[in-house]
Structures are given as C-alpha cells and as structure tokens.
Amino acid sequence: MQFISEQRLDDDICEREFTLDEIPGIVWTPSSASTPVPLILLGPPPLGLRKAYPRLLARARHAVAEGFAAAAIELPWMGERPSSAAADQALADLHRALAAGGRVDDEIVDRLILPLVDKAVPEWQAALDALLALPEISGPVGYSGGVISIGTRLAVVEPRIAAAVLFAGSFLPRTIFEEARQVTIPLHVLLQWDDEGKNRQMALDLFDAFGSKEKTLHANMGGHTGVPQFAGEEANRFFTRHLK
C-alpha cells in the first residue's frame, strides 16, 4: 500500500488516498483515536471513485463519527482503471435490453456481474490485508454497500468480515443465490422499493436465500438514490452492535 495524499477534514477525520497494486483507494480514520478502531469496507457504486466520492465521503463521515475507520477501493474497469471490452459489451447489451422494455436475459447478467465479482473479491481481500496492517485499524471488520453480488461472495469467502450491510438493487446472477445460502454472518439489507429498472422480486428472493440466522430487510419507498438518512443511521447502529 502506497499513500499518495493525506488531508485532515474538519470533523476529526484523516483522509488518505492510496494505491495498492495500482488499484486506487481511500481510507478514512478518526484523527483523535487513541486505540485501533474497527473497520468498515465501503463498497462503492459502479461509477468510479471520483464520481462516487461525495456519497462515499458522506458514508465515511457517519462511520468515523461512530468510532470506525472506513475504506473504499476502485472497482475493476471503473474510474481510471483499465477498461474491459467484454464488460463494456455486456453493459451495452444490458442497456439495449432495458431500453427494449423486456426481461434482461440471465446470460447478459452473468457476463456483466460474475467477472466483476471474480476480480473484485480478491482485490478487497488484498486491501483488507493492507488496511489491517495499519496500527490505527483493527478488527472486527464490516462490509457496507453494493454491488450486492460482491458483498455476498465476500461474506462467504472472507472470515474476517463479521457483519454486512448490503445494498439491494443490482442485477443478480443465479449462481449468487447458491452462494447466499452459505452466508451466516449478521446481515442488514437495504432495499429501495421503486428502484428503477431493477427486479424487486429478485432482491426479495435473495434476502430469503441468505442463510444467516440474523438478517434484517429495511425497505423504503423511492428510487435508487433516494435512500433516506434514517436508513443509514439504522445501518450504523447495526454495525455498532456487531463490531464493538
């Protein structure tokens, strides 16, 4: 991990940008913490870190205010990272299917999501190795965000993640439902009831498939970006219960 910038924000937050094997990332830590703090991994939306930065910073501020560190890394093929012709083609096919108003074929979803999950999850694990080596950060670790397929895979394969807040709404390969049955950590799932272009029933079916004994579905009216502030506050209380 190589730090490339550092700044102190006005609410006791140290923000550092870093690269890890050429993957950009940001870590936020409380400046005044006297002991190592638990970590929340912030899964970014598939927009690129620069475009998603205001939303990530808002989530990081809430996390740090509750006594956590927070970190995000750039998703594969997003932002300044090299693009993928196969991913670009799958995304174009998805947009055409949505514009036609028909059902999105499973084959398109598989081509779009599964390679992303296969590449992103090991990168998150490498980032976790580096972040937990910092003296100001300790376990336990939480994961918060989407793409929900990435969060699901991480919850299965990464034992250091003790709890997860998952954002429903992205398209779901059928194989992710099988993986969901292997998830056992506490879950808090956020669902926007009127998410544009997404399959609400599929999100509900995924929630039903999760094998966790403790799982909560927090559904709110509104579109994809209309998550109310109180929903985020409830997610923070979830992490406080399970990471402290």
Side-chain angles (χ1 to χ4, degrees):
M1 176 181 283
Q2 178 181 359
F3 290 106
I4 57 177
S5 72
E6 178 176 328
Q7 63 173 328
R8 305 282 171 162
L9 306 183
D10 56 8
D11 42 5
D12 192 40
I13 298 176
C14 175
E15 177 186 273
R16 288 171 289 176
E17 296 188 20
F18 64 85
T19 58
L20 180 67
D21 295 331
E22 301 184 350
I23 302 169
I26 310 173
V27 58
W28 297 268
T29 52
S31 300
S32 61
S34 58
T35 58
V37 297
L39 172 66
I40 298 176
L41 304 176
L42 302 180
L47 303 172
L49 283 185
R50 296 300 175 193
K51 288 184 178 180
Y53 175 78
R55 291 158 65 179
L56 289 169
L57 178 59
R59 291 163 59 191
R61 286 186 188 277
H62 286 298
V64 173
E66 296 297 327
F68 301 108
I73 59 172
E74 188 77 90
L75 290 175
W77 315 310
M78 306 295 170
E80 300 174 1
R81 297 188 64 181
S83 61
S84 161
D88 290 344
Q89 183 61 57
L91 185 61
D93 293 343
L94 174 68
H95 287 161
R96 277 194 291 271
L98 291 173
R103 177 181 174 275
V104 177
D105 189 83
D106 288 348
E107 185 266 343
I108 296 175
V109 175
D110 286 354
R111 284 193 287 116
L112 180 65
I113 301 298
L114 291 179
L116 178 65
V117 173
D118 290 343
K119 188 170 178 61
V121 166
E123 291 178 351
W124 268 120
Q125 292 179 294
L128 188 53
D129 291 340
L131 291 163
L132 289 177
L134 298 176
E136 61 270 35
I137 295 177
S138 67
V141 180
Y143 176 86
S144 174
V147 176
I148 197 170
S149 295
I150 293 175
T152 300
R153 174 77 60 82
L154 269 172
V156 173
V157 303
E158 180 46 71
R160 291 172 291 184
I161 294 179
V165 172
L166 301 178
F167 298 176
S170 51
F171 289 92
L172 292 165
R174 297 292 176 178
T175 57
I176 295 298
F177 287 85
E178 295 302 317
E179 296 185 30
R181 294 182 175 91
Q182 303 173 50
V183 175
T184 58
I185 62 173
L187 296 178
H188 183 95
V189 180
L190 293 174
L191 171 64
Q192 287 301 101
W193 203 249
D194 305 302
D195 203 341
E196 305 87 353
K198 304 300 189 297
N199 188 321
R200 180 197 304 160
Q201 187 58 53
M202 186 170 284
L204 295 173
D205 291 343
L206 180 67
F207 178 80
D208 188 52
F210 284 124
S212 303
K213 292 182 178 179
E214 180 184 338
K215 56 181 180 180
T216 300
L217 178 67
H218 194 131
N220 294 283
M221 304 303 292
H224 188 72
T225 59
V227 180
Q229 180 175 337
F230 63 79
E233 293 169 353
E234 184 59 38
N236 284 332
R237 285 191 285 270
F238 167 84
F239 278 131
T240 298
R241 289 197 304 273
H242 293 288
L243 301 185
K244 288 189 174 181

